[in-house]
Amino acid sequence: MTDTLDFTIAGARNALRAKTISARELTEAHLAAIEALEPSLNAFITVTPETALAAADAADGALARGEGGPLAGIPLAIKDLFCTNGIRTTAGSRILEPFVPPYESTVTRQLLRDGAVFLGKANLDEFAMGSSTTTSAFGPTINPWQRQGSNTQLVPGGSSGGSAAAVASGMALGSTGTDTGGSIRQPASFCGIVGMKPTYGRCSRFGVVAFASSLDQPGPFARTVEDAAILLGSMAGHDPRDSTSMDWPVPDYAAACRRGVKGLRIGVPREYHADGMPAEIERLWQQGLDWLRDAGAEIVDVSLPHTKYGLATYYIVAPAECSSNLARYDGVRFGLRVPAQDLTDLYEETRAAGFGAEVRRRILIGTYVLSAGYYDAYYLKAQKVRALILKDFTDVFGQVDALLTPTAPSAAFGVGENMDDPVKMYLNDVFTVPASIAGVPGISVPAGLDGDGLPLGLQVIGKHFDEETVFAVGQALESAAGFSAKPQIRVGSLR
Amino acid sequence: MASAAPLDDAVVRRIARLARIRLGDEEVSRLRGELGAILGWIEQLNEVDVSGVDPLASVGQATLAMRADVVTDGDQTEAVLANAPARAGTFYTVPKVVE
């Protein structure tokens, strides 16, 4: 059973086609893993065994006929921000607790089209607002990794923490996430797996519960770079129902992983040498540059001068868009309703009861920066700084093919840490937010362990719509790092 | 950036009213501190010279496509109303708003 759960997606595809395992066996093994590990990890809000087994049987039928799409029989976890037809979709919020979508998001529809098996809906920070998966109304997700000699519960990162913990612990072969300021890359780093945020516009946002519409982008988690490439191949593509999705062909991302990095120019942005960054993260970053140099890449020092203003810009733009997007939760058409005598009371009581503390904070900040008298000073100013941050990236990508940086300024921290001060929590996203603001793609690849035995990721950032180079560099890092450490909480560990 | 007048309880209450979120008194004073700290931290953007820079609303590169002006979806009344917290026939219901 441990072998079954150690499959990569690429390996499972071969085994399914060679009939050495059936989709039903693969799905049953993962459902058993969920049953065993969920009490410790809380990575799922909703588990759907019946629909998973039905999908597995359908995949077995298709494979027996010599048919079956590229993901036939592959068990995945779906972040509970993607609307799934007939399956409750909560966004980690009380306000959507009763919501059962009557339609399917485009990304999940494409995964189903390709034969994927959905095991359930993964936990997340409420409305994807957070960096620790502790703001979920359904309780925190726990990181399957622990510090050596300690059983302190650590956060999996966020907001897609359930998706990352499920893949790291062996409860799913891959999963979907969404990334607005780092919500795929930072949890991938904290959980020792691969997470990819594509270019803004690469995947459709139709049916993804909206947080900040100019930043949100779906992407995959997996245990290898190639697996992430396979998943993105199914998730990406134009959708007439999302006017911001690009009508360009989807390349063969898995083939791009095998390109190598010979002759590529890799930039090292000097502004990412943050004050107070642990020495072991600096060392790992240097190690990553050496690996790429050894593989034939040229390393170039570059500057992204407005990096330090990324977070402040983000914490104006994202709350502004969130305050507008979340205005729809009014207790009238769907979701929670707190009964009241008049309509204003109904709105105010429903939204007070339905939104958690962090979501309320962001709605209020957004309302403030968009309100009369402050709009120019905050929102317009942030949009201008955003233009400068985009220009930083455009300028740098005239000189280099990709950038290498750490993914996060620390390894996973304890549940309850960084909770006293919202700004301290926001600083987790210092290395991931700039790429989100510019809309460029980024991947986090596990590259090593810190002194406590916790995983650390390195981030590769690429040009707009050049995910192929990002995958090629990610693969080179993965091959050189040979990362094979396993988290303490996984199925084999319970024997 | 208009160096923000320090947030007072009245401002917090006014924003909460605009956002249609009911706040208790204790919450107002806690949020005054939290929001004030976040807004104070954001003021670092004052250091950036943005003269002559056009605001950027989105980094999307897609151009809006034209399509035939025809009905492509509809007749989904039951699906649309399926999640209504309260309904009467094919209508949503809310507390009485006109006397």
Side-chain angles (χ1 to χ4, degrees):
Chain A
M1 180 155 147
T2 307
D3 291 346
T4 307
L5 297 163
D6 278 345
F7 270 126
T8 60
I9 291 173
R13 285 207 304 199
N14 292 337
L16 286 163
R17 279 179 170 72
K19 310 283 193 300
T20 56
I21 191 168
S22 69
R24 176 167 265 268
E25 287 167 334
L26 195 60
T27 297
E28 282 174 343
H30 283 89
L31 289 170
I34 291 171
E35 208 172 302
L37 293 176
E38 264 302 271
S40 313
L41 298 180
N42 193 36
F44 287 87
I45 292 175
T46 305
V47 183
T48 53
E50 284 111 42
T51 47
L53 290 170
D57 289 343
D60 278 330
L63 289 163
R65 295 189 300 274
E67 300 164 7
L71 295 174
I74 301 297
L76 303 177
I78 303 299
K79 186 178 187 180
D80 205 15
L81 201 65
F82 291 84
C83 286
T84 41
N85 193 6
I87 296 167
R88 185 171 76 131
T89 299
T90 68
S93 182
R94 286 276 166 245
I95 214 159
L96 278 178
E97 192 170 5
F99 180 60
V100 178
Y103 61 96
E104 189 77 29
S105 84
T106 296
V107 161
T108 50
R109 187 168 45 77
Q110 292 180 180
L111 290 169
L112 292 171
R113 171 202 68 198
D114 288 353
V117 171
F118 293 171
L119 298 163
K121 306 298 292 292
N123 200 5
L124 68 159
D125 279 302
E126 185 178 3
F127 282 104
M129 297 177 199
S131 308
S132 59
T133 316
T134 55
T135 71
S136 170
F138 300 85
T141 292
I142 303 304
N143 194 323
W145 292 81
Q146 294 174 335
R147 296 183 186 121
Q148 265 162 19
S150 159
N151 56 8
T152 302
Q153 292 188 325
L154 304 178
V155 303
S159 66
S160 315
S163 299
V167 172
S169 62
M171 291 195 279
L173 288 182
S175 59
T176 65
T178 61
D179 191 315
T180 303
S183 283
I184 291 174
R185 292 160 286 160
Q186 184 253 21
S189 179
F190 279 19
C191 291
I193 60 170
V194 176
M196 156 51 106
K197 179 200 94 79
T199 309
Y200 182 83
R202 186 71 274 192
C203 293
S204 169
R205 291 177 295 108
F206 176 79
V208 181
V209 176
F211 159 18
S213 301
S214 80
L215 298 159
D216 297 342
Q217 184 59 207
F221 287 98
R223 293 197 287 266
T224 68
V225 173
E226 183 189 20
D227 282 3
I230 290 169
L231 289 176
L232 183 60
S234 287
M235 295 167 70
H238 176 61
D239 176 10
R241 285 179 290 195
D242 175 1
S243 64
T244 63
S245 73
M246 284 297 275
D247 194 1
W248 283 353
V250 177
D252 184 342
Y253 294 125
C257 295
R258 297 187 285 272
R259 278 183 185 179
V261 296
K262 210 175 181 65
L264 288 185
R265 290 167 62 85
I266 306 295
V268 190
R270 69 177 68 105
E271 291 80 6
Y272 281 57
H273 292 281
D275 292 338
M277 184 153 72
E280 50 198 357
I281 294 181
E282 281 280 353
R283 271 201 302 277
L284 187 71
W285 187 11
Q286 195 54 54
Q287 174 73 70
L289 294 168
D290 290 343
W291 286 330
L292 294 178
R293 193 182 289 110
D294 292 346
E298 184 188 347
I299 307 301
V300 184
D301 280 316
V302 296
S303 173
L304 297 165
H306 297 89
T307 296
K308 69 177 283 204
Y309 303 109
L311 275 176
T313 303
Y314 178 85
Y315 278 97
I316 294 174
V317 172
E321 295 184 17
C322 118
S323 74
S324 171
N325 272 324
L326 272 59
R328 76 191 68 182
Y329 304 103
D330 57 5
V332 173
R333 289 154 303 155
F334 50 84
L336 179 78
R337 168 184 289 200
V338 174
Q341 290 306 307
D342 83 30
L343 191 56
T344 302
D345 283 347
L346 184 146
Y347 293 152
E348 294 192 345
E349 298 291 349
T350 295
R351 290 164 64 80
F355 293 135
E358 178 63 18
V359 171
R360 284 204 295 261
R361 236 177 346 247
R362 295 203 196 185
I363 291 174
L364 294 174
I365 289 280
T367 305
Y368 183 71
V369 301
L370 291 175
S371 64
Y374 298 101
Y375 181 92
D376 287 3
Y378 287 105
Y379 186 60
L380 212 60
K381 172 95 189 201
Q383 288 190 319
K384 290 177 180 176
V385 181
R386 185 175 187 182
L388 293 174
I389 291 170
L390 173 62
K391 184 172 179 300
D392 282 359
F393 280 96
T394 314
D395 290 350
V396 141
F397 283 132
Q399 310 160 47
V400 297
D401 301 294
L403 302 167
L404 185 74
T405 77
T407 306
S410 76
F413 48 88
V415 175
E417 288 172 34
N418 294 335
M419 307 285 173
D420 50 328
D421 176 0
V423 171
K424 211 161 119 195
M425 184 65 91
Y426 298 168
L427 295 178
N428 269 289
D429 298 329
V430 62
F431 299 141
T432 48
V433 148
S436 295
I437 290 175
V440 291
I443 197 169
S444 178
V445 177
L449 300 176
D450 76 357
D452 290 322
L454 296 179
L456 297 170
L458 289 175
Q459 174 179 230
V460 181
I461 300 172
K463 300 175 184 178
H464 288 109
F465 293 99
D466 188 15
E467 283 81 4
E468 290 163 281
T469 299
V470 174
F471 279 123
V473 178
Q475 179 65 62
L477 288 172
E478 180 181 274
S479 303
F483 185 90
S484 59
K486 295 266 193 287
Q488 287 77 354
I489 305 176
R490 62 181 198 282
V491 162
S493 69
L494 295 182
R495 295 193 166 170
Chain B
M1 192 172 294
S3 196
L7 283 187
D8 58 26
D9 286 1
V11 174
V12 175
R13 285 208 173 81
R14 187 175 59 84
I15 308 167
R17 179 75 178 170
L18 287 171
R20 297 288 184 271
I21 297 175
R22 181 69 42 89
L23 296 181
D25 289 345
E26 254 175 56
E27 239 183 331
V28 168
S29 67
R30 188 168 45 77
L31 280 162
R32 189 190 58 217
E34 288 174 357
L35 302 183
I38 294 168
L39 291 168
W41 170 71
I42 281 170
E43 298 227 339
Q44 60 180 286
L45 294 188
N46 280 331
E47 300 162 24
V48 188
D49 179 6
V50 292
S51 46
V53 179
D54 287 330
L56 179 69
S58 171
V59 292
Q61 298 179 4
T63 44
L64 292 178
M66 303 293 279
R67 68 164 176 83
D69 185 13
V70 292
V71 175
T72 57
D73 202 353
D75 291 329
Q76 306 267 356
T77 312
E78 275 313 309
V80 167
L81 282 162
N83 281 283
R87 61 182 281 190
T90 55
F91 298 97
Y92 298 106
T93 57
V94 295
K96 199 172 175 183
V97 288
V98 277
E99 290 306 324

